[in-house]
Amino acid sequence: MKEDAVYRRLLGYLKPYWKQLVIAYFSMLFATLLNLFVPQIIKDAIDNGLAAGDPRALFVAGGIILGIAVVRGAAGFGQLYFGEWLTHRVSYDLRNHFYNSVQALPFSFHDRTLTGDLMSRATSDITETERFVGIGLMGLISTTLLLVGVIIAMLLESVQLSLLGLIPIPLLVVATIRFGNTVRPMFKLIQEQMGVLSSTMQESMTGINVVKAFAREPHELAKFDQENNEWFDRRYGLIKVWADNWPLFTFLVAASIFLLLWFGGPVALEGEITVGSLFALISYVLMLGGPVQRLGFLVNLAATAGASAKRVFDIIDTPSEIEEQEDAVWLDRVDGSVTFQKVDFGYREDLEILSNISFHAEPGQTIALIGPTGSGKSTVTNLIPRFYDPTAGQILVDGVEIRSVQVQSLRKQIGIVLQDPFLFSQTVAENIAYGRPNASMDEIIAAATAARAHGFITEMPEGYDTRVGERGVTLSGGQKQRVAIARALLTDPRILILDDSTSSVDTETEHLIQEALAVLMEGRTTFVIAQRLLTLKSADMILVLDNGRIVQRGTHNELLAAGGLYREIYDLQLKDQEAFVALEAEMGNRQ
C-alpha cells in the first residue's frame, strides 16, 4: 500500500465523527488566528503608548491581550478536548477493526504468524497511530497555518524586510521535509523490530515451564538481549538523525531574527518603519520558534503513524482463505453423516499433505484414524469444521457441500476435544458454557456431571465460580480434559472430533475420562485420532493413513486379518495394551 493511501485510509476513520471534527478544527483555527493579532497589539502599544508617552494605550493593549487570552483559552479547551476524544475514538475503532480481522482469519494465517507480533501491532502500532490521527494531525495543520499566517502578516508590515527575514524559512521547510523522508523508513524498521521483540518475549513467557525445566534461562535472556539491542540500535540511529537536524531548525529561526535586526534596525532608526513594526516582525518570527521546533516532532510523529498504520492495515487486508459464499445457507441441525470425495490438501502448493481421501461416515458411527506421525490424521479432522479448505475434492455433511453453508452454522454442529485442551482464565462455569454462554447453571452442572467433572469441581474453593488461571494452569491435565468434555457436551454437537490420547494421566483419571468420552460419543458421529486399542476395537471403521493417503480401511478384526501397516502398528504399539487388559481382567477374576 502506498504511503498516501495509508494516510487517506487512516483519516477515513474520522469521517463518522465529523461534528466533533468540525468543533476541534474550528477551535484550532480560531486559536491560531487570535495568536496572529497579539504582535499587532504589542506594536500599537509600543508606537502609541511607549513612543507617544500615552499610558492609556498601554492599559488598553494589556486589557485586549488579557481578553484574547481568555477567549483563546476557551478555544484551546475545545481543541484539546475534542482532539483527544477523536484520538482515542479512532484508536478504539481501529483496534476493534484489527481484532475482528484477526478473529476472522483462518488457521493457516495463525500457523505462520507470531502471536507476539500480532500483540505488538494491536498495542504499540495502534498507540503510535492514535497519537497522530487526533492531536498530532491537528498540531501539524495548526503549525502549517501559523507559518502561512505569519508570512502574510509580516509581508503586510514590510515586504522588503519580510523577504529578507524569511530567507531561512524555505531552507527550514526543505530541511523538515528531508527529515521526514529520512525518519519514515527508520520508524518502519523500529516498529518491525518491536514486533520481533514482542514475539520473543511472548514465546519465552508461554514456554516458561520448559525454559525452567531445562535451565535455559541464560539462553532466553541472551536471545532477548540480542533482539532488544537490535531495537535500541535502530532507535539510536533515529535519535542521531533527530539530534543532527534539531539544532538546524533552531538556527534557521535565529538566522531570521538576525537578518531582521541587521537590516531592520537601521531602517527603524531612520524612521522608515516604526519600532513597533520592527518588534512585530521579530515577534512573528519568534512566534514560529516553538511551532517550527515542534514541526520536526510532528513530521516524526506522522512518519511513525504511517509506518505503524501500514503494519496494522497489512493484517486487516490479509485475505481470508476460508471465504464464505454470498448465497451460503444456514445449516440447521444435522443427522451427522460426513463424506469425503477425493479430497486433496496442502498447506503450500509445493507441499501436499493429503491425497485422494475418500470415505463415508454414517450418522452415529465412530471413525478411528490411525497412522504414523505426519500421516495426515489431524489434517483430516481439521478439514471438517473448515479450519482449512481442501485444495481439491469435496466434503459433505448430510449431503451438503460444506463450502456452501455459513461457517458459523457448520461449526455449531461440531464439538472438538483435544489432547491438551485450552481453558480461558475465567471461572469453571464460564469455561464449560463457552460454546453456549446463555446456558443455565443446571445445564452446566448436568454437563459437568456427565463428563465426570462435577466431583472435583465441587471440591474447589469456590466450586463452579473458581477461576482456573491462565490456560487452566490450576487444573491437572485430566481435570482440564473433563472440563473440555463438559464444554463439548453442553453444545450438544452432532459431529465430534477428539484426540483419544490419555498417556499423560494416571489409570484412575484415564478411566474417568473414558467414561466421560463414552457419554459424549453416544449417538454422535465421532472422529477419533486413536491411540488406544479399546477405541480401535469399538470403532465402526478404522482409516489407516500413511503419507497423506488411506492405505487401509475396515474394522479392527478385518485389518488384523489383512496384515499390512495396521498389523505392524498393532504389533509395535497396541499388542502390549491387549496383554495388559487381559492381565488386568485375570487379576480381577482371581479377586
Side-chain angles (χ1 to χ4, degrees):
M1 185 184 295
K2 294 181 179 180
E3 290 177 4
D4 57 342
V6 170
Y7 289 113
R8 283 200 304 271
R9 183 170 177 182
L10 186 58
L11 296 179
Y13 281 85
L14 292 168
K15 287 183 180 178
Y17 312 112
W18 64 269
K19 292 180 181 178
Q20 292 86 348
L21 192 69
V22 168
I23 295 173
Y25 276 82
F26 177 79
S27 299
M28 177 269 292
L29 181 62
F30 191 58
T32 302
L33 289 174
L34 285 176
N35 282 334
L36 294 174
F37 283 107
V38 173
Q40 293 296 321
I41 297 169
I42 296 175
K43 169 191 169 183
D44 290 340
I46 293 172
D47 291 340
N48 300 325
L50 290 176
D54 183 4
R56 181 174 174 278
L58 296 175
F59 290 130
V60 170
I64 293 173
I65 290 175
L66 186 64
I68 287 177
V70 172
V71 177
R72 189 171 58 189
F77 171 81
Q79 177 183 347
L80 183 62
Y81 177 84
F82 288 102
E84 288 289 346
W85 190 92
L86 289 167
T87 293
H88 296 291
R89 186 68 203 189
V90 168
S91 171
Y92 170 85
D93 290 344
L94 185 58
R95 191 172 285 113
N96 272 345
H97 194 183
F98 177 85
Y99 186 74
N100 290 341
S101 298
V102 170
Q103 290 286 316
L105 289 170
F107 270 50
S108 55
F109 168 82
H110 295 282
D111 289 341
R112 61 179 182 264
T113 306
L114 296 174
T115 303
D117 182 56
L118 290 177
M119 293 296 295
S120 174
R121 295 178 196 235
T123 53
S124 176
D125 284 312
I126 289 180
T127 299
E128 293 293 345
T129 300
E130 75 177 18
R131 292 171 62 200
F132 168 73
V133 76
I135 290 295
L137 177 62
M138 196 177 299
L140 186 60
I141 294 174
S142 174
T143 301
T144 304
L145 289 176
L146 185 63
L147 181 62
V148 173
V150 163
I151 292 172
I152 294 172
M154 289 178 68
L155 290 172
L156 291 174
E157 285 295 329
S158 171
V159 174
Q160 185 177 2
L161 283 179
S162 295
L163 292 177
L164 287 170
L166 292 173
I167 287 175
I169 299 302
L171 297 177
L172 181 62
V173 173
V174 170
T176 303
I177 294 173
R178 181 178 62 84
F179 175 71
N181 290 333
T182 302
V183 299
R184 187 175 295 110
M186 297 179 74
F187 262 110
K188 184 174 184 294
L189 292 174
I190 290 169
Q191 292 305 105
E192 288 175 352
Q193 183 60 24
M194 179 56 72
V196 174
L197 189 63
S198 299
S199 297
T200 302
M201 183 185 295
Q202 184 269 337
E203 189 174 54
S204 180
M205 292 297 99
T206 303
I208 192 67
N209 292 340
V210 177
V211 173
K212 289 187 174 297
F214 287 89
R216 293 285 283 171
E217 292 93 338
H219 168 74
E220 292 299 322
L221 287 170
K223 186 168 66 173
F224 182 80
D225 280 346
Q226 180 181 347
E227 300 299 345
N228 204 15
N229 285 335
E230 176 63 24
W231 175 86
F232 178 77
D233 288 342
R234 296 183 183 187
R235 175 64 73 170
Y236 178 64
L238 178 66
I239 291 171
K240 288 197 297 184
V241 172
W242 200 340
D244 289 342
N245 283 270
W246 198 262
L248 176 63
F249 300 154
T250 306
F251 172 77
L252 291 173
V253 174
S256 288
I257 297 174
F258 169 78
L259 291 171
L260 285 173
L261 287 173
W262 184 264
F263 292 102
V267 174
L269 290 174
E270 292 175 2
E272 295 183 21
I273 64 168
T274 65
V275 175
S277 292
L278 180 59
F279 188 86
L281 289 171
I282 294 173
S283 297
Y284 280 125
V285 172
L286 287 173
M287 189 182 292
L288 286 177
V292 165
Q293 289 182 18
R294 285 189 69 235
L295 190 60
F297 168 76
L298 293 170
V299 171
N300 195 342
L301 190 62
T304 311
S308 296
K310 186 177 186 306
R311 281 169 47 81
V312 173
F313 291 142
D314 282 345
I315 299 300
I316 292 175
D317 294 339
T318 300
S320 175
E321 295 162 22
I322 307 298
E323 295 292 343
E324 196 169 88
Q325 298 177 7
E326 290 185 5
D327 58 347
V329 297
W330 184 267
L331 187 65
D332 291 321
R333 190 167 178 82
V334 299
D335 294 329
S337 72
V338 177
T339 305
F340 275 56
Q341 295 179 347
K342 298 181 178 180
V343 170
D344 296 344
F345 175 76
Y347 294 105
R348 302 195 312 263
E349 291 183 6
D350 59 337
L351 183 63
E352 187 176 66
I353 304 298
L354 298 178
S355 178
N356 198 30
I357 301 295
S358 296
F359 65 84
H360 176 71
E362 292 289 347
Q365 282 189 332
T366 297
I367 309 298
L369 295 96
I370 191 169
T373 301
S375 58
K377 305 182 295 294
S378 296
T379 304
V380 170
T381 58
N382 284 336
L383 292 177
I384 298 171
R386 286 195 74 190
F387 293 157
Y388 307 92
D389 273 341
T391 51
Q394 291 185 317
I395 302 172
L396 298 91
V397 171
D398 282 10
V400 180
E401 218 281 333
I402 60 175
R403 279 177 287 203
S404 67
V405 302
Q406 295 180 27
V407 174
Q408 189 178 9
S409 69
L410 171 67
R411 292 177 183 170
K412 283 183 177 293
Q413 309 292 332
I414 301 170
I416 301 176
V417 180
L418 301 175
Q419 179 184 353
D420 184 20
F422 183 93
L423 299 184
F424 295 90
S425 54
Q426 298 175 326
T427 67
V428 176
E430 287 171 327
N431 270 287
I432 293 174
Y434 188 75
R436 268 187 65 200
N438 59 343
S440 67
M441 197 64 209
D442 289 340
E443 291 173 315
I444 292 172
I445 293 172
T449 303
R452 307 299 189 267
H454 181 70
F456 79 79
I457 293 174
T458 54
E459 293 174 359
M460 298 174 78
E462 298 177 59
Y464 283 85
D465 291 327
T466 304
R467 299 187 73 87
V468 299
E470 187 178 8
R471 302 173 67 91
V473 70
T474 57
L475 302 182
S476 69
Q479 289 172 334
K480 284 196 292 185
Q481 200 157 31
R482 279 176 280 166
V483 169
I485 291 170
R487 181 166 60 191
L489 269 170
L490 192 60
T491 60
D492 191 22
R494 302 312 307 146
I495 300 169
L496 183 64
I497 297 169
L498 58 91
D499 190 326
D500 187 39
S501 177
T502 52
S503 57
S504 60
V505 298
D506 57 67
T507 305
E508 182 181 352
T509 302
E510 180 181 357
H511 178 69
L512 290 172
I513 291 173
Q514 292 305 323
E515 284 185 342
L517 287 174
V519 174
L520 179 61
M521 294 166 63
E522 187 175 352
R524 310 179 203 278
T525 308
T526 305
F527 293 86
V528 189
I529 299 175
Q531 311 288 341
R532 301 178 70 259
L533 183 65
L534 184 62
T535 302
L536 294 165
K537 280 189 169 182
S538 61
D540 297 292
M541 180 169 59
I542 301 169
L543 301 177
V544 185
L545 284 89
D546 189 26
N547 291 323
R549 296 176 178 271
I550 298 176
V551 295
Q552 289 181 287
R553 69 182 74 204
T555 63
H556 172 69
N557 292 329
E558 290 171 350
L559 292 173
L560 274 185
L565 180 59
Y566 184 80
R567 181 77 200 201
E568 292 176 19
I569 295 173
Y570 173 81
D571 290 338
L572 287 171
Q573 302 175 20
L574 304 175
K575 200 171 186 178
D576 291 342
Q577 289 185 27
E578 192 162 49
F580 178 76
V581 171
L583 179 62
E584 212 175 33
E586 183 179 340
M587 292 177 66
N589 291 333
R590 286 179 182 177
Q591 292 176 354

